[in-house]
């Protein structure tokens, strides 16, 4: 499976390393033409305002929406989760508006409130080591969105069909379970298409 | 649940990669920086070029500046403390700064000891002009590095020198045999374990940004080519003719540092960049990079 990591800004190398460790092939994506050759796309952590601006500037919004419409899986972590959401609290405009959920940015507070913890995730055997950095939360989801994990009663991992989102950074640890999970999603999507 | 782990601190810097961190002096500039696509802002009372011009002792900014900037932005806000001034740093942490820069731009408060950065929940970024300095700061707990360059000059030459030197030293350490690392650790004044990490990985264990003299989109792209993970722009933006345009252009050139047509496009009609200073015209007392050890 060939997975692209959107490389406009943020923690790109860590996702590439994690995908490769989980048995996939990974490339950094800087131009829309590169999307054609991919089986799945990761939108990494970074600053969602910066990533959102650069996506608009380089015509990624429509291209990624088409990528999603083709049934190809997308995984957003932290800023990537914000970019995927239909609604962002306190902002009129969202970005890709693909996942039917409302998210809150910086929901835990400032950097001093950032933390890591072991997090059970539905569909993954062992708890995932989850690193939350100025992390967002999923405040509301539509019925078709499956909640995969919560932290203190708040949603931090969710899946809607071929779309996956986490508030935290699985790519900052040596735990590749979530990347392996995403690779399985990409395999399933590819086999349906054939 | 654990806060302030090295992974959480370092991870915060990883999220800044490929981004531009801009110096701002008030809420209005912070809004311009965020709108231009900055990944973080550095809240300051004076930008380095003004510190140079005014002289005297440069200290931590008035807390109201930090509060004002935090109020209007959703991106991380960094702030500077003097080298060794752990009380200024504790004050910045209490105020909610997301990252503290123990910075040679301010007048050092301690000529022997840097801040024990492990003693904080918030992460630190520090300047380095060679591998020894870089690893000593990491040993003290810094979770992010930047070149020192020569701040407030608008002259990229020192940042280039520092990044090339660090890269060269890393290559050298990689090529040493393991039994030669002990002596090299002594030469560099760093711990053997950190040096062994560099020997094995061929890179620094934390993110390293370029800083000190970035004035144009091409300067930013040059530093990215040399291996910087991102760019700090101090005086370069708000001392230029058209800060908004300059800020946007530097953000785009940093993302697409290999796309020269794009850099050409964003560099058009930017107006006058900040007035620069020839480094050889600075006398020894004006060289900020020589502060710290």
């Amino acid at each position: 499976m060939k997975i692209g990591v959107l490389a406009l800004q943020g923690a790109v190398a860590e996702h590439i390393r994690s995908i490769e460790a989980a048995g996939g092939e990974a490339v950094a994506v800087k131009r829309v033409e590169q999307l054609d050759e991919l089986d799945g796309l990761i939108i990494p952590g970074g600053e969602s305002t910066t990533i959102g601006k650069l996506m608009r500037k380089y015509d990624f919004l429509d291209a990624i929406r088409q990528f999603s419409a083709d049934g190809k899986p997308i995984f957003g972590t932290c800023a990537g989760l914000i970019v995927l959401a239909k609604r962002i609290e306190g902002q009129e405009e969202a970005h890709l508006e693909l996942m039917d959920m409302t998210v809150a940015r910086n929901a835990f507070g400032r950097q001093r409130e950032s933390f890591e913890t072991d997090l059970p995730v539905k569909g993954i055997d062992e708890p995932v080591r989850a690193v939350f950095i100025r992390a967002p939360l999923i405040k509301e989801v539509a019925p078709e969105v499956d909640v995969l994990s919560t932290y203190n009663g708040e949603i931090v991992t969710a899946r809607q069909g071929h779309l996956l989102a986490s508030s935290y950074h699985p790519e900052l640890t040596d735990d590749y379970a979530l990347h392996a999970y995403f690779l399985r999603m990409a395999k399933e999507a590819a086999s349906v298409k054939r | 649940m654990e806060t302030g782990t090295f992974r959480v601190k370092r991870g915060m810097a990883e999220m800044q990669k490929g981004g531009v961190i801009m110096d701002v002096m008030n809420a209005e500039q912070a809004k311009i920086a965020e709108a231009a696509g900055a990944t973080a802002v550095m809240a300051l009372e004076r930008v380095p070029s003004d510190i140079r011009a005014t002289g005297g002792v440069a200290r931590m900014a008035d807390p109201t500046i930090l509060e004002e900037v935090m109020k209007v932005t959703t991106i991380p806000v960094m702030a500077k403390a003097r080298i060794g001034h752990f009380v200024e740093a504790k004050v910045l942490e209490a105020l909610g700064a997301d990252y503290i820069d123990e910075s040679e731009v301010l007048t050092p408060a301690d000529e022997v000891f840097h801040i024990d950065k492990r003693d904080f929940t918030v992460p630190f970024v520090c300047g380095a002009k060679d591998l020894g300095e870089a690893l000593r700061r990491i040993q003290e707990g810094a979770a992010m590095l930047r070149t020192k360059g020569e701040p407030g000059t608008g002259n990229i030459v020192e940042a280039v020198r520092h990044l090339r030197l660090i890269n060269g030293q890393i290559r050298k350490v990689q090529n040493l045999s393991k039994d030669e690392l002990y002596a090299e650790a002594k030469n560099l004044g760093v711990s053997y374990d950190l040096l062994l990490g560099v020997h094995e990985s061929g890179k620094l264990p934390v993110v390293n940004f370029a800083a000190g003299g970035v004035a144009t989109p091409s300067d930013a792209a040059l530093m990215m080519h040399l291996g910087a993970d991102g760019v700090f722009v101090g005086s370069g933006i708000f001392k230029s003719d058209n800060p908004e345009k300059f800020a946007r252009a530097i953000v785009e050139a940093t993302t697409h540092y290999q796309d020269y047509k794009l850099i050409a496009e964003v560099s058009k009609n930017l107006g006058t960049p900040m007035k620069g200073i020839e480094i050889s015209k600075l006398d020894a007392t004006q060289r900020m990079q020589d502060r710290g050890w």
Side-chain angles (χ1 to χ4, degrees), chain B residues 5-259:
Chain B
T5 63
F6 192 56
R7 181 147 63 192
V8 165
K9 291 176 172 176
R10 198 190 55 204
M12 159 79 195
E14 306 280 357
M15 298 312 135
Q16 293 287 314
K17 282 194 297 193
V20 181
I21 301 170
M22 302 181 191
D23 278 2
V24 299
M25 290 177 287
N26 53 48
E28 189 201 343
Q29 292 184 349
K31 280 193 258 182
I32 292 173
E34 184 170 12
T39 49
V41 290
M42 177 78 71
L44 290 172
E45 201 155 303
R46 288 176 289 167
V47 293
S49 65
D50 284 342
I51 291 175
R52 267 184 203 291
T54 338
V57 175
R59 310 177 179 91
M60 173 186 86
D62 185 321
T64 55
I65 296 177
L66 183 60
E67 285 176 343
E68 183 188 322
V69 169
M70 287 194 300
K71 213 177 286 169
V72 300
T73 53
T74 61
I75 56 177
V77 179
M78 302 185 171
K80 287 186 196 289
R82 281 179 266 177
I83 290 173
H85 206 315
F86 54 86
V87 172
E88 280 188 352
K90 285 285 180 192
V91 169
L92 293 174
E93 179 173 62
L95 286 165
D98 294 301
Y99 234 97
I100 298 172
D101 184 357
E102 185 182 18
S103 178
E104 68 281 3
V105 166
L106 305 182
T107 312
D110 192 319
E111 290 184 336
V112 182
F113 301 105
H114 281 251
I115 296 171
D116 176 8
K117 294 166 272 287
R118 294 171 191 258
D119 185 36
F120 288 74
T121 306
V122 292
F124 276 75
V125 55
C126 287
K129 55 185 187 307
D130 56 46
L131 183 61
E133 255 188 339
L135 294 180
R136 284 193 292 277
R137 297 295 85 78
I138 294 167
Q139 185 80 51
E140 295 156 359
M144 179 181 188
L145 294 169
R146 53 174 177 72
T147 59
K148 284 182 163 176
E150 192 52 51
T153 59
N155 190 337
I156 198 68
V157 66
E158 295 300 302
V160 168
R161 189 196 316 281
H162 299 161
L163 197 50
R164 278 203 186 270
L165 178 59
I166 289 173
N167 289 342
Q169 288 175 307
I170 290 175
R171 283 193 297 271
K172 182 187 164 199
V173 167
Q174 265 186 294
N175 287 329
L176 292 176
S177 65
K178 237 174 169 180
D179 64 336
E180 291 169 336
L181 289 177
Y182 298 99
E184 186 65 7
K186 174 180 166 284
N187 289 341
L188 291 173
V190 302
S191 89
Y192 171 78
D193 289 335
L194 276 177
L195 199 65
L196 180 64
V198 172
H199 172 73
E200 284 171 351
S201 69
K203 55 188 175 59
L204 292 167
V206 303
V207 165
N208 188 22
F209 270 44
V214 176
T216 67
S218 294
D219 286 348
L222 173 66
M223 297 313 290
M224 293 299 287
H225 271 281
L226 292 176
D229 290 310
V231 178
F232 280 90
V233 190
S235 323
I237 289 171
F238 290 100
K239 286 289 159 189
S240 71
D241 263 5
N242 188 342
E244 226 170 317
K245 224 171 152 185
F246 245 89
R248 269 202 311 267
I250 290 180
V251 167
E252 286 187 45
T254 303
T255 301
H256 289 285
Y257 62 94
Q258 291 153 313
D259 187 338

Side-chain angles (χ1 to χ4, degrees), chain A residues 7-14 30-31 44-51 53-54 57-58 60 77-79 91 105-106 109-118 129-134 151-152 169 171-175, chain B residues 1-12 14-19 34-40 70 73-77 92-99 121-123 251-259 262 266:
Chain A
L8 296 174
Q9 190 271 318
V12 176
E14 289 72 13
K30 289 211 171 203
R31 297 185 321 275
E47 279 306 315
S48 64
T49 49
T50 306
I51 295 172
K53 270 181 218 339
L54 292 168
K57 178 89 195 178
Y58 304 115
F60 269 104
T77 59
C78 194
Q91 282 178 222
R105 295 180 58 205
N106 303 332
R110 306 203 70 89
Q111 172 61 18
R112 64 182 171 204
E113 278 85 44
S114 295
F115 63 99
E116 54 180 294
T117 192
D118 287 322
R129 189 66 184 168
V131 186
F132 291 80
I133 295 175
R134 288 173 49 94
Y151 179 78
N152 286 346
H169 297 283
E171 79 281 10
L172 293 181
T173 71
D174 296 330
D175 180 345
Chain B
M1 194 271 264
E2 300 142 62
T3 57
T5 63
F6 192 56
R7 181 147 63 192
V8 165
K9 291 176 172 176
R10 198 190 55 204
M12 159 79 195
E14 306 280 357
M15 298 312 135
Q16 293 287 314
K17 282 194 297 193
E34 184 170 12
T39 49
M70 287 194 300
T73 53
T74 61
I75 56 177
V77 179
L92 293 174
E93 179 173 62
L95 286 165
D98 294 301
Y99 234 97
T121 306
V122 292
V251 167
E252 286 187 45
T254 303
T255 301
H256 289 285
Y257 62 94
Q258 291 153 313
D259 187 338
L262 184 143
V266 301

